[in-house]
Amino acid sequence: MKRIVVLFFFCFYLISTTYAQLPDELWQYAGTNTYMYFENDIYKNSRFFMQTDNHFLTFNYKNFTLEQLRLINQDEIGKNYLDKEQKEPLDLLSMFVEIKGTKYKIVRLEDEQNYAGELIESGKFYQRRYYTDLKLENGPEVKLSFEIYTWNDVLGFKLIFDEGEIPMDDSKLILELKLPEDQHSIKSKKGQIIAKAKNGKSWLIENQINTTKVSKDKGVLIAETVITNKVANLILHSATSNEGKVNITASDLNNTHKEVVVKKDVEQQATVISLNDTFKPVDGMERVALTLENTSDKPQLQRLIFQRLKSVRDITGVSIILRDKEGHPTGIPIQISKNWHGQKNTWFKFRGPWLRAYTMVSLPPNSTVELELSKVSGFWGTLPAVSHNQLSLTGWGKKRIGNHQLWDQTAMGAFGESICYEPDGGQANTLITDVRPFLIKSDYDSKIGPRKWNWTPNVGGGDFMRVYDEKGTKHKIKRIKSHIKRNCPNLTEVTYTGVTSDDAANYSLTASIMRNDDYVRGVYTLEVEVNDTFNFDRLALAQFGSETYSYSVENKIAWGNAEGLIKEMDNIYKEQQYTNKDLIIEGKNPWFSMHEAKNMESNNYAVWGNKGVVLKEWSAKIGGQKIAPRFSTYSSSKTRAKEPVTLVEVNLPSDIKQLHKGDKIRMVMELCVFPQEAKSYYGTNEEFRKALVKDENTWRLMWRESSQNDVKVKVKKGKVVRNYPLKIQAKNNEVSVDLSNGLGYVPVTVSNLSNYKDFNFTFKYEGKEIVFDQERFGNDYYQVDYDPTNKTWEVTFSVPTDNHSLEK
């Protein structure tokens, strides 16, 4: 359906008086957060934490002990002291194989005790970690695996027998969980075991979980099964979860003759809906109609998993949205976890490809709710969708310290990765890893890539808050948690928080990419707040690429501001030294261009990319004084490029070696990735094409970004609450603004809306009127997110600021 709107006198009405708003209970769990994170730098670590709004645990993977498990009070949620271990670690979980009446304890292999295990899924609703190749202490040779997983309100332990020459008929798998005596009292009641904590909260434990029988012996929960069943489960539910029978049906709207399988999964504690992948590649949409019926007199919780476990098409850029039956996006959040890794010569349980999407909803009493699951391949409407989701690395590479941990992958479209993040820096000692240009291809007569709608070369990486002491040792940020605000399809927003290694300063880094049709833009908001004396010898607040991860060697570097060029020079390479230091760039929007890059993979790619950065916002108050930013270029050969690379840094003045309590730094940076050659770009953004033809492989593209992509806004109704990406707070569900400047499609988020589909927005742009048409399947051009802090909705549009479109 096409909508003609005045955008540069933009008058947008999305009025749904015919259809009622969905029940508010559906968003009850939108504020849910689960975290799985490390105590320290992974190379100096032995524990990980799992934290939800319901419980908290500490697991020591080196000793293979559960050291802490506690239910959380409402007023404890998010408290910092939960990050710290209790004074005396406990040993709460024991696992055994019983053979002919003799119990053998399960332990880790000695050479794997420093390996943190396989991170399988991680996100807003669900966390899972897996350990393989366990053994028996002083017992016969067997192979066993262990899995620990959590929803917000469910905690599960799973012991798996993989193989071994033991008498199967006379052997058992046993899990024993000893809840802390000072926290819980355990009793049986009506077919369930209840473990009540002193804070009033309780666990409910089923007596029978599939083939596993669960019993209690004083303060110990015992889950056991005969070893022929292969799996022993122990699952703890929050007593506050009102989970009853709900009838769920699903139908494939693209292929009504193809069944959508819906089943309850006891081990995963969810209803699993299997997706069929019935959509057109590149720009299609899989659509599944869902009906959820609660016939009881009480609200009912439903945990839902939408999954595809084989032949997952366009997996690199999946967006999944829950819409109402009229197609309006609802803002009900969905966690997407996926994997495409798996070496052919190895076997591993979780190797890819697979896709799972998690959510939790509550259904009101005696109600029927109709929804649509919309799974996007590469396009949301007529523009490439953007996404930021967890990519599992299990099945990729060897089991080494740092491998197979949290890895986030963003994509514009579904044509390969755009920007990847490894928050704990386990493999590359950096946050930003792979970075790839967008919409480029080799000539038609070239026999090598990149191909259209496919992967492009890697010109990464980058980092924030690189802290070094006098010996040159890097001190990593620790206790990093991922907070997912929005993950698709117009604008992403994910925040990584942590603390410096000495606990002196808090760290927050928010990463975003935006729906567009010209080139990759990564937006980063860094906030540092000092709590105690913070010492360092060298501090790179931001670094592009990274001295431990860079795949691109640029021969030229240039810098300037919105007014133009200040200096261009050939890169000078000095091993681990600054080649320019303490540069002050006066004027608005300081920028750096890193261009004339060498093609580092000429055997695989016929074309390459350049990159650059813009400092959009800056504020630093050090010792009560406002400090201007400094810029530097740094040379290193310790990167993936295997030859000297010049990096761009944002710093404080180099004579500052110490920060103190109350010091604060905030900056907003933008990373841009350009095609190196105009002929390689196959999008149809004509304004960008003209700029490429004129200024390919030069600094002028970064100057264009700095000077022209600087959105100006005058608010007639509403309030600007964020400058970039632009966010405007609505008043009485209305916004009226005047816009000017900008390149491509500019994301504009409107907040403080009382519902997800009835609002009135008016935008002007230099008095000009345009046709605004981005729909393909109806209402598939804007994004909705729910804000649980004030129980309102936010809507994000991709606002065109020049006359172009993208055609396939």
Side-chain angles (χ1 to χ4, degrees):
M1 179 178 64
K2 294 184 177 180
R3 296 182 186 271
I4 296 182
V5 219
V6 179
L7 184 79
F8 299 162
F9 178 62
F10 178 109
C11 198
F12 177 72
Y13 294 96
L14 186 60
I15 300 174
S16 305
T17 54
T18 307
Y19 305 104
Q21 167 103 346
L22 289 167
D24 289 346
E25 288 89 341
L26 286 176
W27 291 268
Q28 179 178 333
Y29 297 99
T32 292
N33 284 295
T34 68
Y35 307 103
M36 180 164 54
Y37 56 103
F38 294 119
E39 178 183 37
N40 292 308
D41 172 359
I42 192 169
Y43 285 90
K44 302 175 183 178
N45 192 68
S46 59
R47 297 176 176 88
F48 72 83
F49 301 134
M50 280 183 169
Q51 180 179 339
T52 77
D53 299 339
N54 182 72
H55 53 271
F56 177 80
L57 66 82
T58 304
F59 192 85
N60 187 318
Y61 55 81
K62 188 171 185 177
N63 298 332
F64 218 56
T65 55
L66 180 63
E67 296 183 342
Q68 183 178 183
L69 174 60
R70 37 192 301 231
L71 287 160
I72 296 175
N73 280 331
Q74 191 66 27
D75 60 358
E76 292 179 312
I77 295 174
K79 293 296 178 74
N80 288 332
Y81 73 86
L82 291 175
D83 292 337
K84 302 173 183 177
E85 63 176 300
Q86 56 194 38
K87 292 182 180 179
E88 295 183 5
L90 304 174
D91 186 359
L92 302 175
L93 182 67
S94 298
M95 292 172 280
F96 303 94
V97 171
E98 183 181 294
I99 304 172
K100 294 185 176 181
T102 301
K103 290 170 67 175
Y104 297 91
K105 188 174 183 179
I106 296 170
V107 295
R108 296 199 74 181
L109 297 176
E110 288 80 2
D111 59 354
E112 291 193 4
Q113 290 181 353
N114 292 319
Y115 176 59
E118 306 281 331
L119 187 150
I120 309 302
E121 286 118 327
S122 183
K124 185 177 179 65
F125 292 106
Y126 188 79
Q127 309 282 347
R128 171 155 49 172
R129 189 170 287 276
Y130 182 77
Y131 294 89
T132 187
D133 294 330
L134 304 177
K135 69 171 187 176
L136 300 182
E137 187 176 53
N138 301 319
E141 287 191 13
V142 296
K143 285 189 176 181
L144 302 118
S145 303
F146 171 68
E147 182 179 313
I148 180 170
Y149 64 88
T150 190
W151 291 83
N152 184 59
D153 59 335
V154 172
L155 176 62
F157 304 100
K158 186 175 177 181
L159 178 61
I160 306 108
F161 174 76
D162 294 318
E163 61 181 65
E165 296 295 329
I166 58 175
M168 303 295 283
D169 294 336
D170 296 320
S171 301
K172 294 181 181 179
L173 292 174
I174 301 173
L175 286 160
E176 294 183 359
L177 178 63
K178 183 180 180 180
L179 294 173
E181 295 178 2
D182 62 338
Q183 296 180 32
H184 298 85
S185 59
I186 302 177
K187 60 181 180 180
S188 296
K189 185 179 180 180
K190 295 182 180 179
Q192 283 186 324
I193 301 170
I194 301 173
K196 187 172 183 179
K198 289 187 177 181
N199 62 11
K201 298 187 75 172
S202 298
W203 290 113
L204 301 180
I205 302 99
E206 299 291 336
N207 290 79
Q208 191 77 29
I209 306 166
N210 287 347
T211 58
T212 304
K213 180 182 178 182
V214 182
S215 60
K216 70 176 184 70
D217 183 6
K218 297 181 180 178
V220 179
L221 298 171
I222 303 169
E224 59 183 355
T225 188
V226 293
I227 208 163
T228 51
N229 291 326
K230 298 283 189 177
V231 176
N233 286 288
L234 179 58
I235 302 173
L236 290 74
H237 296 254
S238 167
T240 58
S241 299
N242 191 11
E243 184 184 7
K245 185 177 180 181
V246 171
N247 299 319
I248 299 179
T249 57
S251 60
D252 193 323
L253 295 176
N254 292 345
N255 186 345
T256 56
H257 300 291
K258 198 162 188 177
E259 180 187 10
V260 178
V261 178
V262 179
K263 67 175 183 179
K264 292 284 185 179
D265 190 308
V266 175
E267 290 186 356
Q268 290 188 286
Q269 290 296 294
T271 299
V272 178
I273 297 114
S274 296
L275 303 177
N276 294 325
D277 253 14
T278 53
F279 63 90
K280 179 184 176 183
V282 178
D283 62 353
M285 180 194 293
E286 182 169 7
R287 304 175 67 186
V288 177
L290 302 169
T291 302
L292 293 82
E293 182 184 16
N294 176 14
T295 58
S296 75
D297 295 328
K298 295 181 179 179
Q300 299 293 338
L301 161 68
Q302 280 296 290
R303 301 179 207 89
L304 301 175
I305 303 175
F306 305 96
Q307 72 177 22
R308 175 78 179 174
L309 301 183
K310 61 180 180 179
S311 303
V312 186
R313 291 187 294 170
D314 294 345
I315 192 173
T316 59
V318 174
S319 294
I320 296 180
I321 302 106
L322 277 176
R323 305 197 287 173
D324 65 15
K325 66 178 181 179
E326 290 81 41
H328 302 112
T330 63
I332 296 172
I334 292 181
Q335 168 191 333
I336 299 174
S337 293
K338 59 189 178 181
N339 179 32
W340 59 69
H341 305 99
Q343 297 171 344
K344 292 182 179 180
N345 60 342
T346 62
W347 176 90
F348 191 72
K349 179 179 179 180
F350 293 102
R351 83 179 197 186
W354 51 259
L355 167 73
R356 296 189 187 92
Y358 299 83
T359 193
M360 295 171 65
V361 296
S362 179
L363 299 175
N366 301 304
S367 66
T368 299
V369 172
E370 294 179 275
L371 297 170
E372 179 189 304
L373 178 94
S374 303
K375 175 173 167 283
V376 174
S377 53
F379 281 68
W380 178 238
T382 59
L383 285 172
V386 294
S387 56
H388 184 142
N389 298 305
Q390 180 242 339
L391 172 63
S392 177
L393 298 186
T394 189
W396 180 88
K398 296 180 179 180
K399 293 195 293 184
R400 296 190 179 118
I401 299 175
N403 280 20
H404 302 177
Q405 305 311 309
L406 180 60
W407 181 283
D408 284 354
Q409 176 249 331
T410 71
M412 297 180 68
F415 327 130
E417 300 167 339
S418 291
I419 305 176
C420 293
Y421 304 95
E422 191 173 38
D424 293 296
Q427 298 174 102
N429 197 13
T430 197
L431 173 65
I432 300 175
T433 53
D434 302 354
V435 176
R436 302 175 187 274
F438 181 52
L439 296 177
I440 67 169
K441 62 177 178 61
S442 60
D443 290 338
Y444 288 109
D445 58 355
S446 174
K447 295 181 180 180
I448 55 176
R451 306 295 184 193
K452 191 175 182 180
W453 312 123
N454 216 319
W455 289 66
T456 62
N458 183 1
V459 300
D463 207 357
F464 294 85
M465 278 298 283
R466 292 184 76 97
V467 182
Y468 294 87
D469 62 21
E470 292 180 349
K471 296 179 180 179
T473 302
K474 181 175 182 281
H475 294 263
K476 288 187 179 181
I477 303 298
K478 63 182 182 181
R479 296 205 291 273
I480 295 178
K481 297 179 182 177
S482 299
H483 309 261
I484 302 165
K485 172 76 173 178
R486 54 187 114 243
N487 67 338
C488 65
N490 288 53
L491 178 69
T492 68
E493 189 175 338
V494 176
T495 300
Y496 304 108
T497 62
V499 295
T500 54
S501 62
D502 57 0
D503 295 293
N506 292 337
Y507 158 95
S508 172
L509 190 281
T510 300
S512 298
I513 62 170
M514 59 195 70
R515 178 173 174 252
N516 226 309
D517 70 342
D518 49 7
Y519 48 88
V520 173
R521 294 174 180 87
V523 182
Y524 304 99
T525 301
L526 173 69
E527 296 177 288
V528 180
E529 184 172 355
V530 182
N531 304 313
D532 202 351
T533 302
F534 176 34
N535 296 297
F536 52 88
D537 184 68
R538 176 179 159 223
L539 173 62
L541 295 171
Q543 189 180 80
F544 300 93
S546 166
E547 62 198 271
T548 52
Y549 192 98
S550 183
Y551 264 104
S552 197
V553 176
E554 295 90 8
N555 289 317
K556 291 264 180 97
I557 195 160
W559 59 90
N561 56 29
E563 300 301 316
L565 175 71
I566 293 176
K567 185 174 182 178
E568 181 182 28
M569 61 180 288
D570 293 334
N571 277 326
I572 301 171
Y573 300 110
K574 297 180 180 180
E575 179 57 29
Q576 294 185 298
Q577 293 184 46
Y578 285 103
T579 52
N580 292 282
K581 194 172 184 180
D582 278 331
L583 296 173
I584 298 176
I585 303 178
E586 297 181 346
K588 194 170 186 182
N589 293 344
W591 57 266
F592 274 78
S593 174
M594 307 163 75
H595 51 281
E596 293 191 15
K598 294 173 59 176
N599 187 335
M600 308 300 291
E601 296 183 70
S602 57
N603 291 333
N604 298 318
Y605 297 104
V607 296
W608 203 251
N610 294 324
K611 60 180 180 281
V613 292
V614 182
L615 180 60
K616 306 281 286 187
E617 298 176 28
W618 168 273
S619 65
K621 197 167 185 180
I622 310 299
Q625 302 295 316
K626 291 183 178 180
I627 301 294
R630 302 296 193 269
F631 302 90
S632 306
T633 61
Y634 187 83
S635 182
S636 175
S637 63
K638 306 295 185 182
T639 74
R640 299 298 176 95
K642 297 181 180 179
E643 61 180 275
V645 173
T646 294
L647 316 169
V648 172
E649 288 189 359
V650 182
N651 316 101
L652 297 173
S654 60
D655 59 350
I656 295 178
K657 305 293 186 182
Q658 191 178 76
L659 299 177
H660 299 278
K661 184 176 181 179
D663 290 346
K664 293 183 180 181
I665 304 165
R666 182 184 184 275
M667 68 178 185
V668 179
M669 292 202 72
E670 183 180 65
L671 167 67
C672 299
V673 188
F674 302 114
Q676 195 172 49
E677 302 173 9
K679 65 180 181 180
S680 71
Y681 171 69
Y682 61 87
T684 55
N685 184 321
E686 291 304 321
E687 295 299 317
F688 179 51
R689 185 187 304 280
K690 290 176 185 177
L692 270 175
V693 170
K694 180 183 177 184
D695 297 320
E696 67 176 22
N697 210 16
T698 72
W699 54 266
R700 291 181 177 273
L701 294 176
M702 277 312 305
W703 176 38
R704 174 179 182 263
E705 178 70 22
S706 169
S707 61
Q708 296 185 42
N709 195 26
D710 185 20
V711 179
K712 305 293 191 301
V713 57
K714 294 181 180 179
V715 180
K716 294 182 178 180
K717 194 164 191 177
K719 178 183 178 182
V720 174
V721 292
R722 185 177 65 197
N723 293 318
Y724 195 71
L726 182 60
K727 188 174 183 178
I728 302 169
Q729 184 182 86
K731 184 177 181 181
N732 299 324
N733 289 344
E734 295 186 22
V735 159
S736 180
V737 297
D738 293 339
L739 298 175
S740 60
N741 230 1
L743 290 174
Y745 287 83
V746 172
V748 179
T749 299
V750 180
S751 64
N752 195 39
L753 299 171
S754 64
N755 61 76
Y756 68 90
K757 61 180 180 177
D758 298 329
F759 29 78
N760 181 358
F761 302 150
T762 304
F763 294 81
K764 284 186 178 181
Y765 189 95
E766 298 177 352
K768 297 178 182 178
E769 299 182 5
I770 67 165
V771 174
F772 184 77
D773 179 13
Q774 298 174 8
E775 290 179 296
R776 296 189 73 249
F777 298 99
N779 293 312
D780 58 335
Y781 65 99
Y782 62 95
Q783 173 178 328
V784 177
D785 298 287
Y786 183 73
D787 184 352
T789 57
N790 53 22
K791 297 182 180 180
T792 59
W793 283 260
E794 298 183 348
V795 178
T796 301
F797 299 93
S798 303
V799 178
T801 60
D802 47 32
N803 186 21
H804 60 262
S805 62
L806 183 69
E807 298 176 355
K808 292 165 290 301

